Amino acid sequence: MASALQYFVLILILGIPVHECTGVFQNENCIKEGPCFDLNMVAEIAEQVSKDVVAADGENILLKHNSFDKIRKMKNLHSCVLLEIIDLFQKVLVETERTSSVYPKGDINYHRELIHILDQLRNCVYKMKCNKLYKKAGTSPIKEFKSIQIPEEKMKPKQLAILQLRKLKNANERLSDVHIQERVMDELKTLHLYMRGKGFQKNKNDYEEA
């Protein structure tokens, strides 16, 4: 009986493929590194929240992707801008949940789910020193950029980060404006694309501070 059991165990051992550790070692055990947060889930939940939102008119709050690409390549700029983006979107979700139809018992409250998800996304943003950039953005009105007559496509990364922060600040100051809420809810559909970049941690074990 014992020999048969040993033979069975041997077959199992030989049948188990050997995998190389793709994570980190902790106490001689391989700990696989999962993503800090699956941004595909953000896209799916956002789609549920904004699927009935009609495309909003007016000026965009988030910069065009071509312009934002310059920001996402700079870890310090991308991190600081992401925190403000998350803050605005979370506030608008709280406001719009109050006015949305009551979710029937048993149904998923996608608004609330996304509000909690944004908290988790905030924890995936690298911790950087943003005070100087925020101060510069606070003293650099959008009209200043317009007076300089620099086309957006020719702005440097820091100029674009300041412009983005100013647009977010202006939206925050008009948070109760239905048009601002509609614009944010419309742009919610592509929020996950703005998260990707140098300022967003790729995995849970990837911690770094400024």
Side-chain angles (χ1 to χ4, degrees), residues 73-188:
K73 292 176 182 177
M74 310 289 290
K75 182 183 285 187
N76 60 326
L77 298 179
H78 190 222
S79 299
C80 295
V81 169
L82 279 184
L83 290 175
E84 294 301 298
I85 289 176
I86 291 171
D87 181 66
L88 173 65
F89 276 70
Q90 196 169 43
K91 287 178 180 176
V92 170
L93 282 167
V94 171
E95 287 292 322
T96 53
E97 185 194 10
R98 294 172 184 169
T99 57
S100 65
S101 57
V102 179
Y103 290 88
K105 187 176 181 181
D107 283 9
I108 298 175
N109 186 328
Y110 290 109
H111 265 82
R112 198 163 298 165
E113 287 291 322
L114 197 51
I115 289 170
H116 293 321
I117 283 175
L118 289 177
D119 275 330
Q120 297 177 61
L121 292 181
R122 187 180 283 108
N123 292 330
C124 290
V125 176
Y126 283 108
K127 306 301 184 293
M128 295 289 176
K129 296 177 181 177
C130 303
N131 290 340
K132 287 185 179 179
L133 182 65
Y134 290 163
K135 185 176 181 180
K136 177 66 176 174
T139 56
S140 303
I142 291 179
K143 63 182 180 181
E144 177 181 315
F145 287 90
K146 292 180 179 178
S147 64
I148 297 175
Q149 296 298 317
I150 300 177
E152 190 175 305
E153 60 271 16
K154 292 187 177 181
M155 284 186 178
K156 295 179 179 179
K158 190 172 183 179
Q159 290 175 313
L160 287 166
I162 291 173
L163 177 60
Q164 180 64 89
L165 289 170
R166 284 298 307 169
K167 289 168 75 69
L168 292 166
K169 184 174 184 294
N170 288 346
N172 262 303
E173 291 171 351
R174 300 164 54 201
L175 203 61
S176 59
D177 188 331
V178 175
H179 296 295
I180 293 296
Q181 294 179 10
E182 289 176 348
R183 169 55 63 187
V184 170
M185 294 301 289
D186 184 26
E187 295 186 2
L188 185 64

Side-chain angles (χ1 to χ4, degrees), residues 33-87:
E33 294 183 350
C36 189
F37 197 91
D38 185 358
L39 292 176
N40 291 325
M41 183 184 295
V42 178
E44 291 171 6
I45 301 294
E47 179 65 27
Q48 293 297 324
V49 173
S50 60
K51 64 182 179 181
D52 297 326
V53 176
V54 180
D57 295 325
E59 185 178 353
N60 287 355
I61 295 173
L62 297 179
L63 296 178
K64 297 176 182 177
H65 290 290
N66 289 342
S67 297
F68 201 85
D69 280 344
K70 295 181 182 179
I71 297 174
R72 75 172 77 246
K73 292 176 182 177
M74 310 289 290
K75 182 183 285 187
N76 60 326
L77 298 179
H78 190 222
S79 299
C80 295
V81 169
L82 279 184
L83 290 175
E84 294 301 298
I85 289 176
I86 291 171
D87 181 66

